[in-house]
Amino acid sequence: PVRIQEKSGKGAEDEMPRNIERDEKEAMRRKEQLMEAGFRLFSQYGIENVSLQRVADAAEVGVATLYNYYQTKVKLVIAISGKIWGALWKEVLEEKGPEIFESFTAYQYIEFYTDQIIRIYRERPEILRFSNNYKNFISREKVRGEALAEHLDALKPAGALYHKFYEQARSDKSIRTDIPEQQLFTSVAIAMLAVAERYAQGIVWADDHKEAHTQELEFLKGMLLTWCRTPENLGKQ
């Protein structure tokens, strides 16, 4: 005899949200796999030298699955960059606590930024190697504007804080404000990050054969902070 299954009282509409949630979790897991595999390979071998097929193989998924989430290499590397910098910012807040910035001046915030770059160089140089490869790749591909949103959005919280401190510096004079806000921070940020990236990749004009150049980065940090100070604050600790 055919058994008639009793109704549980749950219709298709009850199953649908669970299926959607399950699919979303699976999609997120796949994306994480692909970004982690891409990050490892791009950091080590360079972005141009690694095919999407190789990324898919390293993530143990089919290349069709990769294309389902990231239709181009550009989209994948932008997603990776956004994830990296967003995660670093989150780690800082979790480690230090958001209240760390409450009593900061603009000078202290810039000093904090330079210290973080040096810390990344010491502890996670692969991030700097990826960052350098990323910038070169994005430049060669001529990626502009909205296409970079996923990367730029991750930097917005840090930028918003800097804006607050720069405005504060108009009265507390902790840094010079004769240079436009964006120009000053961009100059410091690019200089510090670019030099750290080159040291992380071993691209340096030096014959000392040192494995680490933390001291040189400390020197650069000191020069940049001196440049940022107002004349009346030079020499103060």
Side-chain angles (χ1 to χ4, degrees):
V2 177
R3 297 182 60 185
I4 300 176
Q5 186 175 358
E6 292 183 3
K7 293 183 178 180
S8 64
K10 297 181 180 179
E13 65 277 6
D14 298 300
E15 296 295 333
M16 190 175 299
R18 270 189 300 210
N19 291 338
I20 292 173
E21 183 179 356
R22 181 195 62 202
D23 292 345
E24 288 176 347
K25 287 182 178 179
E26 178 63 13
M28 184 60 66
R29 186 182 71 84
R30 295 285 193 184
K31 286 182 177 179
E32 291 286 338
Q33 280 181 286
L34 290 164
M35 285 191 285
E36 288 174 7
F39 172 69
R40 289 195 306 271
L41 293 170
F42 296 150
S43 297
Q44 186 172 358
Y45 301 107
I47 296 173
E48 288 86 352
N49 299 326
V50 177
S51 68
L52 291 182
Q53 178 67 64
R54 189 174 177 185
V55 174
D57 291 344
E60 299 183 339
V61 303
V63 72
T65 299
L66 185 153
Y67 281 116
N68 188 44
Y69 300 118
Y70 304 106
Q71 293 75 35
T72 66
K73 187 184 286 188
V74 166
K75 289 185 177 181
L76 176 59
V77 298
I78 291 173
I80 293 171
S81 186
K83 175 180 170 58
I84 288 171
W85 294 110
L88 284 171
W89 181 251
K90 184 179 179 182
E91 286 173 16
V92 166
L93 294 181
E94 289 176 350
E95 178 185 347
K96 306 290 186 181
E99 63 277 3
I100 186 178
F101 300 117
E102 290 179 1
S103 60
F104 266 28
T105 63
Y107 178 88
Q108 290 172 315
Y109 187 62
I110 293 172
E111 183 177 30
F112 179 82
Y113 166 81
T114 56
D115 283 337
Q116 292 304 307
I117 296 298
I118 295 172
R119 179 181 177 182
I120 294 169
Y121 171 77
R122 289 198 317 265
E123 300 176 4
R124 300 163 80 176
E126 67 276 8
I127 290 178
L128 296 173
R129 290 194 290 269
F130 172 83
S131 178
N132 189 62
N133 292 335
Y134 168 83
K135 287 189 295 188
N136 291 335
F137 177 73
I138 290 299
S139 177
R140 281 192 287 268
E141 293 293 317
K142 297 181 171 56
V143 184
R144 301 286 187 274
E146 292 183 4
L148 293 170
E150 193 168 357
H151 163 82
L152 297 175
D153 286 349
L155 305 178
K156 284 182 178 179
L161 266 178
Y162 170 69
H163 173 70
K164 169 191 170 185
F165 292 132
Y166 183 89
E167 289 299 312
Q168 182 179 307
R170 295 184 188 279
S171 57
D172 70 24
K173 308 297 183 184
S174 67
I175 63 169
R176 58 194 301 178
T177 53
D178 58 312
I179 298 174
E181 173 182 350
Q182 196 59 40
Q183 183 180 350
L184 186 145
F185 187 68
T186 299
S187 298
V188 173
I190 290 177
M192 194 70 199
L193 182 59
V195 173
E197 287 170 348
R198 293 180 71 82
Y199 281 136
Q201 289 197 311
I203 308 173
V204 291
W205 292 103
D207 57 3
D208 53 18
H209 306 294
K210 292 170 62 176
E211 292 186 4
H213 291 83
T214 303
Q215 186 178 41
E216 287 82 354
L217 290 174
E218 290 285 356
F219 291 156
L220 176 61
K221 166 191 165 183
M223 288 187 287
L224 291 171
L225 289 173
T226 298
W227 178 71
C228 288
R229 276 193 182 278
T230 53
E232 56 266 36
N233 284 326
L234 285 175
K236 293 183 180 179
Q237 297 296 321

